[in-house]
């Protein structure tokens, strides 16, 4: 009986001594909200000046007599080693205006859009060049996009010639250029996706009268060409396709 009591007492003591080691602490988590912000730039400078060396001239519609300041090109999208720098393009875009331009058959006018990511987050970018559907291919050359942007795999292009997109009563055919890679904060697209607005050299007076004559769609002699750009955060999406599917939805 004594041994039993001792055993029970030992068990009671052991049972009473069981305890968990515990502690309490707290943490404050700070979250920073980023932003997506883009700037659309329209310039007269084709990034590599149609491959023409400084000091040489060219009949190319994409050519400019401004000397390229960039050399030793390291861009993954490059075609050559000399180029217009971002600073040159920004300065040019600040002064260059494609407004109230008198366009005659066989003439063209530079319209070269770039996008700069001025926000804090990487973003996917797309640019739309919109030509009035009734003028696209009828009197305006529709092949003046910059094919190098696609050949060097910076952008893909989709062409919608249905005229289904409408802005202020004008129906447009739309050339959509989607950048494949994300655009880093502070980065500018390398290629201009478009080159010039060009009126076909064989456009006749009768054709012009059809669009610009009295009572016609552009009787005041003015027609619009629109450029629109979108940006969406890159984080959270597998690729540009997934990002734009979410954007459009």
């Amino acid at each position: 009986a004594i041994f039993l009591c001792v055993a029970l007492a030992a068990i009671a003591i052991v049972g009473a001594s069981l305890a968990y080691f515990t502690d309490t602490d707290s943490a404050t988590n700070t979250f920073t909200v980023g932003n997506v912000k883009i700037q659309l730039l329209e310039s007269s400078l084709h990034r590599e000046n149609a491959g023409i060396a400084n000091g040489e001239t060219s009949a190319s519609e994409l050519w400019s007599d401004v000397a390229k300041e960039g050399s030793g090109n390291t861009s993954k999208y490059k075609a050559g080693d000399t180029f217009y720098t971002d600073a040159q393009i920004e300065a040019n875009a600040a002064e260059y205006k494609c407004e109230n331009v008198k366009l005659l058959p066989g003439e063209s006018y530079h319209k070269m859009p770039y996008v700069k990511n001025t926000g804090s987050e990487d973003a996917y970018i797309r640019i739309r060049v919109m030509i009035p559907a009734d003028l696209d291919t009828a009197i305006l050359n529709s092949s003046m996009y910059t094919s190098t942007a696609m050949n060097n795999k910076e952008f893909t292009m989709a062409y919608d010639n249905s005229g289904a997109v409408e802005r202020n009563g004008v129906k447009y055919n739309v050339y959509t250029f989607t950048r494949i890679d994300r655009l880093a904060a502070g980065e500018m697209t390398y290629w201009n996706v478009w080159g010039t607005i060009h009126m076909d050299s064989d456009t006749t007076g009768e054709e012009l009268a059809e669009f610009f004559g009295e009572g016609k769609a552009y009787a005041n002699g003015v027609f619009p060409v629109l450029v629109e750009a979108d940006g969406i955060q890159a984080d959270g999406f597998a690729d540009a396709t997934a990002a734009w599917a979410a954007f459009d939805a």
Side-chain angles (χ1 to χ4, degrees):
I2 292 173
F3 289 140
L4 180 58
C5 289
V6 171
L8 291 173
I11 292 172
I13 293 170
V14 171
S17 67
L18 291 176
Y20 293 104
F21 293 109
T22 64
D23 192 11
T24 301
D25 195 4
S26 63
T28 300
N29 296 306
T30 301
F31 295 88
T32 300
V33 177
N35 67 82
V36 171
K37 188 176 181 181
I38 61 173
Q39 180 183 14
L40 176 64
L41 303 163
E42 282 200 292
S43 171
S44 68
L45 301 179
H46 175 50
R47 180 68 83 165
E48 295 185 12
N49 208 15
I52 309 302
N54 287 344
E56 297 183 5
T57 59
S58 172
S60 169
E61 287 189 281
L62 302 178
W63 178 75
S64 169
D65 61 2
V66 177
K68 295 174 284 187
E69 295 179 358
S71 60
N73 200 341
T74 59
S75 172
K76 65 181 288 188
Y77 310 111
K78 72 175 186 176
D81 288 328
T82 59
F83 59 98
Y84 290 118
T85 66
D86 289 358
Q88 281 187 285
I89 290 168
E90 289 185 86
N92 175 267
E95 300 293 332
Y96 186 74
K97 303 297 180 186
C98 186
E99 298 174 356
N100 300 320
V101 177
K102 185 176 289 185
L103 197 62
L104 299 175
E107 291 188 350
S108 62
Y109 203 77
H110 284 189
K111 190 176 183 71
M112 301 180 176
Y114 300 82
V115 168
K116 183 175 182 180
N117 182 353
T118 58
S120 64
E121 308 300 314
D122 290 2
Y124 287 116
I125 300 297
R126 68 181 177 187
I127 302 170
R128 291 182 299 281
V129 178
M130 305 167 66
I131 311 292
D134 50 1
L135 303 181
D136 186 33
T137 74
I139 65 171
L140 298 182
N141 189 321
S142 63
S143 62
M144 293 314 299
Y145 54 85
T146 305
S147 58
T148 317
M150 280 66 76
N151 294 341
N152 288 38
K153 302 190 185 320
E154 184 178 16
F155 287 90
T156 60
M157 188 195 77
Y159 175 43
D160 177 4
N161 64 350
S162 68
V165 175
E166 186 172 328
R167 299 282 190 278
N168 296 320
V170 178
K171 294 182 178 180
Y172 291 89
N173 288 350
V174 183
Y175 299 76
T176 301
F177 302 88
T178 302
R179 196 172 196 267
I180 297 169
D181 299 323
R182 55 175 64 195
L183 190 68
E187 185 182 7
M188 185 187 295
T189 54
Y190 184 76
W191 286 108
N192 50 294
V193 295
W194 199 265
T196 70
I197 301 302
H198 174 92
M199 184 177 289
D200 294 337
S201 58
D202 59 356
T203 300
T204 65
E206 289 75 14
E207 287 176 317
L208 291 175
E210 180 182 346
F211 300 109
F212 301 100
E214 185 177 352
K216 300 299 183 180
Y218 310 102
N220 61 356
V222 177
F223 67 90
V225 173
L226 306 183
V227 180
E228 299 178 347
D230 300 316
I232 185 173
Q233 69 181 61
D235 288 345
F237 298 105
D239 52 28
T241 300
W244 295 120
F247 184 100
D248 293 333

